[in-house]
Amino acid sequence: MTYGGDYGGEPRPAPRGPRQHQRAQMLPIPGREQPPARREAYQPPREEQHMPPQQTLRAPVPPRGPEAPPRPPMRERPPRRPRRWSFGKVLLSLLMVFVVFLAGVWVYLEFSITRIDALADYEGRPAAAEGTNWLVVGSDSRAGLDPEDEARLSTGDTAGQRTDTIMVAHIPDNDTPPTLLSLPRDSQVKIPGHGTNKINAAFSFGGPQLLAKTVEGATGLRIDHYAEIGFGGFANIVDAIGGVEMCLETEMNDSMTGAKLAAGCQELDGAQALSFVRMRYSSATPRSDLDRVANQRKFIGAMVSEMASPTTLLNPFYLFPLLSEAPEALTMDEGDHLHNLVGLAIAMRGISSGGVVTTTVPVTSASAENWDKKKSEQLFDALKNDTAIPDSVIVN
């Protein structure tokens, strides 16, 4: 009989085996990572322990095709040769350098040349006609010359400022030849506000503005551009280009200045050139001022040709001194630019070859004080209308 306790009842079950204790697990702390739970080693079921191992099935390997030929071994690249400059590239580079040089020279001259207000407008000024007119002035200014320079150039020490040379350069708009016209310095003309006087006195009375106004009133030609050069600047430019070759028919001795020039072809330096263009008291200049202005036109033609020649432009020993002296020697109107001056130089290049008409205003006597009214009107009308100048009014 099974013992059921003090009170009897159902029989108690048989006692179980020893009790399995559970491991205590800690709750995760916020902010900390939970360490991975430790897993019990997997024990396969008893049935699986006695099963034979299964074989792993593999996909069938497709049959290989013909083997590819082995790759040739990599060859090392030869060292890169330095690039050789072809003739075309060298030529292009030199051309670019030359263009940059010309641009720099152009800008330098454009902003370095002295400019003044020489061509003021006024009531009754002649209207613009055909072609373009330049007033070219060679002043006897001694500004910047010390006593030694005055003695070397035989300029004297006369005070004030006058014009030794007055010319009108006419550049036509058609195929008519350009004209270089000399106005004798002793010509008697009307000077606004000063009555009748020698034309070069206008420069002393009122400078370039009054001279331009006087020339416009006397000729009826409208002056479009103005260029002026003094004694010192003229001589320096001649020296800068290495002199100018002139052929003199006879010996020239100036009784006023004492300057002497030998006969024959020779290179005139700055001082000799200045003596040549100013000389009128000599047996070689029997017409006085008429011979002097003719010599001035000859020399200007030779000098312009020398300046524009390859011998000067391609020789740095001539080119750079010329570029250095030109801005200080030349004075232009404030409305003029370098391209205007280049146009004048190109037009005047034909003086030596006869491509430019050179003449003096027709006068009534060798003193060149009074103009021939009829012939001078024919001359000025031809310039206004860009027509050929009659041979009967050309004076050389």
Side-chain angles (χ1 to χ4, degrees):
M1 182 174 180
T2 303
Y3 177 72
D6 294 337
Y7 302 99
E10 294 295 330
R12 298 180 66 179
R16 291 178 296 181
R19 187 175 181 179
Q20 298 290 334
H21 296 279
Q22 293 183 350
R23 295 179 178 270
Q25 295 183 355
M26 298 181 63
L27 295 176
I29 301 175
R32 289 189 179 181
E33 294 183 357
Q34 180 69 14
R38 182 179 298 176
R39 296 182 179 179
E40 296 292 339
Y42 173 74
Q43 296 292 336
R46 201 174 282 179
E47 295 80 2
E48 294 182 4
Q49 292 181 4
H50 299 283
M51 289 181 62
Q54 296 181 358
Q55 294 183 354
T56 304
L57 298 179
R58 296 182 179 181
V61 179
R64 297 180 61 181
E67 295 185 358
R71 293 183 179 180
M74 296 290 292
R75 294 182 180 179
E76 295 184 359
R77 291 184 178 181
R80 181 177 295 180
R81 295 180 180 180
R83 293 183 179 180
R84 293 183 179 181
W85 286 66
S86 63
F87 177 77
K89 290 183 178 180
V90 173
L91 185 62
L92 180 61
S93 299
L94 293 177
L95 180 61
M96 292 179 63
V97 171
F98 182 69
V99 170
V100 172
F101 170 74
L102 288 182
V105 170
W106 189 280
V107 173
Y108 164 73
L109 293 176
E110 178 69 31
F111 291 96
S112 299
I113 295 176
T114 304
R115 288 180 170 82
I116 58 174
D117 184 14
L119 303 177
D121 203 2
Y122 58 89
E123 185 178 356
R125 187 180 183 188
E130 301 295 328
T132 301
N133 297 312
W134 278 83
L135 178 59
V136 182
V137 175
S139 72
D140 62 359
S141 172
R142 293 153 178 82
L145 299 180
D146 54 29
E148 294 181 358
D149 290 331
E150 292 179 356
R152 178 177 62 88
L153 301 177
S154 301
T155 62
D157 55 357
T158 304
Q161 186 176 4
R162 285 162 295 277
T163 51
D164 244 34
T165 304
I166 305 174
M167 295 181 177
V168 173
H170 178 77
I171 305 174
D173 291 333
N174 52 25
D175 56 356
T176 304
T179 302
L180 185 61
L181 171 65
S182 296
L183 308 180
R185 55 178 286 178
D186 293 335
S187 300
Q188 295 288 325
V189 296
K190 292 181 179 180
I191 300 176
H194 298 274
T196 300
N197 206 327
K198 294 181 179 181
I199 192 170
N200 71 331
F203 198 82
S204 301
F205 295 149
Q209 279 194 9
L210 185 58
L211 177 62
K213 188 175 182 180
T214 300
V215 171
E216 287 182 335
T219 63
L221 300 173
R222 186 185 182 95
I223 301 300
D224 304 296
H225 306 284
Y226 177 85
E228 175 190 335
I229 188 171
F231 278 169
F234 176 81
N236 290 340
I237 286 181
V238 174
D239 287 335
I241 60 177
V244 175
E245 183 177 2
M246 292 295 298
C247 293
L248 309 182
E249 296 180 359
T250 60
E251 185 182 45
M252 302 181 71
N253 298 318
D254 195 324
S255 59
M256 179 66 69
T257 63
K260 295 182 179 181
L261 298 174
C265 296
Q266 56 197 292
E267 290 282 343
L268 300 183
D269 61 18
Q272 293 171 328
L274 189 58
S275 298
F276 177 73
V277 299
R278 297 183 64 212
M279 192 176 298
R280 61 173 176 168
Y281 298 104
S282 169
S283 59
T285 55
R287 298 186 304 166
S288 186
D289 206 33
L290 292 179
D291 285 328
R292 179 169 72 166
V293 295
N295 288 336
Q296 289 173 352
R297 295 192 298 267
K298 290 178 182 177
F299 188 85
I300 289 177
M303 183 175 69
V304 171
S305 297
E306 185 71 24
M307 293 171 61
S309 67
T311 305
T312 300
L313 297 179
L314 300 180
N315 190 335
F317 295 101
Y318 292 152
L319 178 61
F320 289 110
L322 176 61
L323 296 177
S324 176
E325 294 293 342
E328 297 181 3
L330 189 64
T331 300
M332 299 173 64
D333 180 65
E334 61 184 9
D336 293 334
H337 298 282
L338 187 59
H339 67 272
N340 303 125
L341 189 63
V342 172
L344 173 65
I346 293 175
M348 294 296 109
R349 284 189 61 188
I351 295 178
S352 300
S353 61
V356 176
V357 177
T358 60
T359 183
T360 306
V361 175
V363 294
T364 58
S365 64
S367 64
E369 292 183 355
N370 299 309
W371 296 353
D372 186 311
K373 186 175 181 180
K374 182 178 180 180
K375 291 184 177 181
S376 60
E377 286 182 354
Q378 292 178 342
L379 171 63
F380 299 144
D381 286 342
L383 296 179
K384 290 178 185 177
N385 301 316
D386 271 355
T387 57
I389 300 175
D391 293 337
S392 59
V393 303
I394 295 178
V395 180
N396 289 315

